[in-house]
Amino acid sequence: MKKMGLFLVSLVIILALAACGQDTKDVAVKDTAAAKQEQPKKNEEKKQEQTVSKLGSRTNPVPFQKTATVDDELFNNAGESFPIKFDLMMEEVTRGDAAFQTLKAMNEFNEPAPEGYEWVVVKAKVKFTESKTQDLSFNIDGIMNFKMVSESGDIYSGDAYGTTDPDFSFEMYVGNEKEGYIAGLVKTGEKAQLRYEELMDGQVFFNLQ
């Protein structure tokens, strides 16, 4: 009975943590004009204003080629948290055959997209801008932290991954910035978003067109 009780408690904790990961993280777009375009005009009805989703959500993604400042935190071994901020921007997007040719040039073993899908290659930039500690590093990875999402809601997380050069996988301390490429698959011809996510601390959607 004790083992069963411990199992149920563990299951509840896991489900609670999984649910936390679905929240939209706090973000701000540096270009205020672009941010205003994503919000309804001040003179529109209150009801319409209240229905606007949080910036960075799937229905209100960060605009393409705009820099999003993301609020986050780091933890040390003692469990203490330290607020941080980092900038993230999707600079360039290549799709279809052009994207596949780019991947082939990066690595000859990259394979064509499966039937019904096409490759998307994104050039992304990240900068670790603020931190309450100089001693902890920030990690970000193009495979672990990002997923392509098709317009129809398909989240591609299959077995095929594009190997990029340079790949978007970095460990950095505050003040550092990096550029690299993220490759993924979406349904052919559909509009696409790139979802940045953490295991237990939210997500941010980026428009890719």
Side-chain angles (χ1 to χ4, degrees), residues 20-206:
C20 291
Q22 298 303 311
D23 293 336
T24 300
K25 296 182 71 65
D26 291 329
V27 301
V29 175
K30 285 196 170 181
D31 185 341
T32 55
K36 288 178 181 178
Q37 289 176 5
E38 295 299 310
Q39 304 294 332
K41 296 178 181 179
K42 289 183 178 180
N43 60 357
E44 291 181 356
E45 297 179 0
K46 276 188 176 181
K47 184 176 179 181
Q48 184 176 355
E49 290 179 352
Q50 292 171 353
T51 60
V52 174
S53 301
K54 186 175 180 180
L55 180 63
S57 62
R58 185 184 173 216
T59 54
N60 189 17
V62 175
F64 179 50
Q65 295 182 329
K66 299 300 180 183
T67 299
T69 299
V70 184
D71 291 328
D72 211 330
E73 57 186 337
L74 298 175
F75 294 89
N76 62 15
N77 291 334
E80 298 173 303
S81 66
F82 299 87
I84 67 168
K85 292 181 184 289
F86 64 93
D87 288 348
L88 193 56
M89 181 175 71
M90 307 306 141
E91 298 182 290
E92 300 174 8
V93 174
T94 309
R95 294 185 59 147
D97 186 63
F100 176 57
Q101 295 306 319
T102 297
L103 287 173
K104 287 287 286 184
M106 291 177 174
N107 187 316
E108 62 178 316
F109 297 107
N110 279 321
E111 299 181 354
E115 185 71 25
Y117 289 84
E118 61 180 315
W119 282 111
V120 178
V121 177
V122 180
K123 183 180 181 183
K125 177 190 287 186
V126 61
K127 182 175 182 179
F128 188 4
T129 57
E130 296 180 28
S131 178
K132 289 295 184 180
T133 176
Q134 302 284 320
D135 298 321
L136 297 177
S137 61
F138 167 67
N139 292 271
I140 192 166
D141 183 82
I143 293 177
M144 296 295 294
N145 296 119
F146 292 88
K147 283 186 172 63
M148 295 287 176
V149 181
S150 286
E151 183 179 17
S152 61
D154 184 49
I155 304 172
Y156 191 86
S157 56
D159 297 328
Y161 292 99
T163 301
T164 58
D165 185 22
D167 64 343
F168 197 76
S169 182
F170 308 112
E171 178 184 9
M172 61 181 72
Y173 288 96
V174 63
N176 193 236
E177 63 180 299
K178 298 288 186 182
E179 287 183 334
Y181 293 89
I182 302 168
L185 291 157
V186 297
K187 288 184 175 179
T188 304
E190 286 197 1
K191 291 181 180 179
Q193 296 174 342
L194 188 63
R195 187 179 74 183
Y196 167 77
E197 60 184 0
E198 291 184 298
L199 179 62
M200 296 184 293
D201 195 24
Q203 56 193 19
V204 181
F205 285 82
F206 291 83

